[in-house]
Amino acid sequence: MAPKRTRDGDFFAKDSGAEPVKKRKGFSVGPANLPDGTYRRKTQKIKSDLIQKAKVKKAYAKIKAQERAAGTPKSVYDRADEEDGKTKDDEAEPASLELHPDRVTMLNEPEPEPAPEPAPRPQRRPREDGKRQNRNPKRSAFTKEMEIAEKRKEAAEARQRQREAKQKDREAMLRAKRPDQFGKRRLGRESNVLLSRVQRMVGQ
């Protein structure tokens, strides 16, 4: 019977004796079927940023590995501390007992004279009567408006009094026009009401 046929990939793998090299698959950001537009450009930008960051990280790791292979260098802070220590030692000078020139000049100067006391102020003479001067009262900014308001108030009160008087006359006239028990008019009462009305009109 004929030998069973194997797959092409298995055949090549057995013959070569080495495993086939796997092709690295690229990564994707966002859906693959986006139309050309804002969202697609945004995903492409994100992908390019990620690739750039990965490259920088890889380059940094490479440089760091080279430095480690060369030897363990001291950190930047240790170097700075050493340099500061050296400069401090160089700059340190022995303290001298001599005074500063400015201090010497201050000590040699004579003491300043005390400032003269200010002359006392002359006291005000008290007023003869001991009272404040009579001044005219300041005119208020709203004097005119207050006068107008007062006039309006007086006019309103006069109108109110007039209305009340008319109402009283009307009621008195209604009472006077009522007939007496025999059905006759009360002319005396009507005349009194008319007389009071005429007097009020003449008085106005």
Side-chain angles (χ1 to χ4, degrees):
M1 208 172 157
K4 192 173 181 182
R5 187 175 176 184
T6 59
R7 293 181 186 174
D8 295 338
D10 294 342
F11 177 74
F12 288 120
K14 286 176 184 176
D15 289 347
S16 60
E19 293 182 2
V21 179
K22 289 183 179 179
K23 191 176 182 182
R24 293 186 70 180
K25 187 180 179 183
F27 69 97
S28 62
V29 179
N33 59 350
L34 273 176
D36 191 21
T38 307
Y39 295 110
R40 185 174 178 80
R41 286 195 295 273
K42 190 171 183 180
T43 53
Q44 287 174 351
K45 185 177 182 300
I46 292 169
K47 186 174 180 179
S48 63
D49 289 345
L50 289 172
I51 292 168
Q52 182 66 24
K53 285 178 184 177
K55 286 180 180 177
V56 170
K57 198 172 182 182
K58 193 173 181 182
Y60 176 72
K62 191 175 181 182
I63 293 167
K64 201 169 184 183
Q66 288 175 359
E67 286 182 356
R68 283 181 184 171
T72 55
K74 293 182 179 180
S75 66
V76 178
Y77 301 109
D78 294 338
R79 292 177 197 162
D81 290 340
E82 287 178 2
E83 290 175 3
D84 289 342
K86 288 178 183 177
T87 52
K88 283 178 183 176
D89 293 340
D90 296 340
E91 290 175 0
E93 294 179 357
S96 62
L97 298 174
E98 295 179 4
L99 293 173
H100 196 271
D102 294 341
R103 187 165 178 79
V104 172
T105 53
M106 277 177 58
L107 291 171
N108 293 336
E109 285 180 1
E111 293 184 3
E113 296 179 0
E117 294 181 0
R121 285 186 176 182
Q123 294 182 352
R124 289 185 178 180
R125 289 183 301 170
R127 293 195 181 99
E128 294 175 1
D129 53 357
K131 296 179 182 178
R132 295 185 68 182
Q133 292 179 355
N134 293 329
R135 294 182 181 177
N136 294 331
K138 189 176 180 182
R139 185 176 174 82
S140 175
F142 303 104
T143 308
K144 192 174 181 181
E145 285 80 359
M146 289 171 70
E147 290 174 359
I148 294 168
E150 191 68 29
K151 287 178 182 177
R152 285 181 182 172
K153 189 178 179 182
E154 289 174 2
E157 288 176 357
R159 284 195 299 271
Q160 182 68 22
R161 285 195 298 270
Q162 196 174 5
R163 276 197 297 270
E164 289 174 359
K166 283 183 180 179
Q167 184 67 23
K168 284 181 183 178
D169 285 349
R170 199 176 294 116
E171 290 173 359
M173 197 65 174
L174 286 172
R175 283 197 301 271
K177 283 185 177 180
R178 285 180 192 165
D180 60 357
Q181 56 187 352
F182 302 110
K184 293 180 181 179
R185 291 178 67 181
R186 298 176 179 177
L187 296 175
R189 287 187 179 181
E190 288 183 20
S191 62
N192 289 335
V193 174
L194 292 171
L195 181 63
S196 63
R197 187 183 295 178
V198 170
Q199 285 175 351
R200 192 175 63 253
M201 288 171 70
V202 170
Q204 288 178 355

